[in-house]
Amino acid sequence: MRSPTGGWPDCCALTASITISVRVLCPSCDRRCAILYKKSRSNLWGCRVCLGGRYRSESLSPAQRKLLKAFKIRRKLGQTDNNTLKPFPSKPPNMHWRTYEAIREDALRR
């Protein structure tokens, strides 16, 4: 709604959100990628694939990956420390019982 003077009031200011996705060509393998990495102690630049980069979970054993998953589930339910010996966390406020039960069933099945 316009003010009596004819202009737009301050409360009606427009805000815009722009997301730009940029892809670049890897100089080593000519793949399209979003991030280029620099190999330590050299001038070689490349993508994660051609430089042999790995995700953290790829370097963990299966037992460590299960433990990391358990920590993540407990953190989602509000437990602040990474101690799986404590009792399973209770349902957080504002979480549906159905969601909590599904998370709990999944965690206990693993």
Side-chain angles (χ1 to χ4, degrees), residues 2-104:
R2 290 185 177 227
S3 66
T5 58
W8 291 97
D10 290 337
C11 67
C12 296
L14 293 175
T15 58
S17 175
I18 299 173
T19 303
I20 298 174
S21 177
V22 177
R23 300 282 180 202
V24 294
L25 287 178
C26 173
S28 300
C29 65
D30 289 331
R31 293 170 55 115
R32 285 178 16 152
C33 57
I35 301 172
L36 289 179
Y37 300 93
K38 182 179 180 293
K39 192 152 184 131
S40 61
R41 295 187 293 276
S42 76
N43 287 332
L44 182 64
W45 287 83
C47 65
R48 186 186 65 81
V49 174
C50 68
L51 291 181
R54 300 285 177 248
Y55 291 112
R56 178 181 175 204
S57 63
E58 291 178 311
S59 63
L60 298 176
S61 70
Q64 289 173 322
R65 285 196 301 271
K66 283 186 178 183
L67 196 58
L68 192 65
K69 178 77 171 173
F71 293 156
K72 186 177 178 182
I73 289 171
R74 287 172 175 263
R75 208 171 313 123
K76 185 177 185 177
L77 295 175
Q79 185 173 337
T80 55
D81 59 343
N82 291 336
N83 187 353
T84 56
L85 298 176
K86 286 187 175 181
F88 198 77
S90 59
K91 183 185 87 62
N94 300 325
M95 179 182 278
H96 288 276
W97 275 104
R98 184 175 54 219
T99 304
Y100 174 75
E101 290 297 330
I103 291 171
R104 184 183 170 109

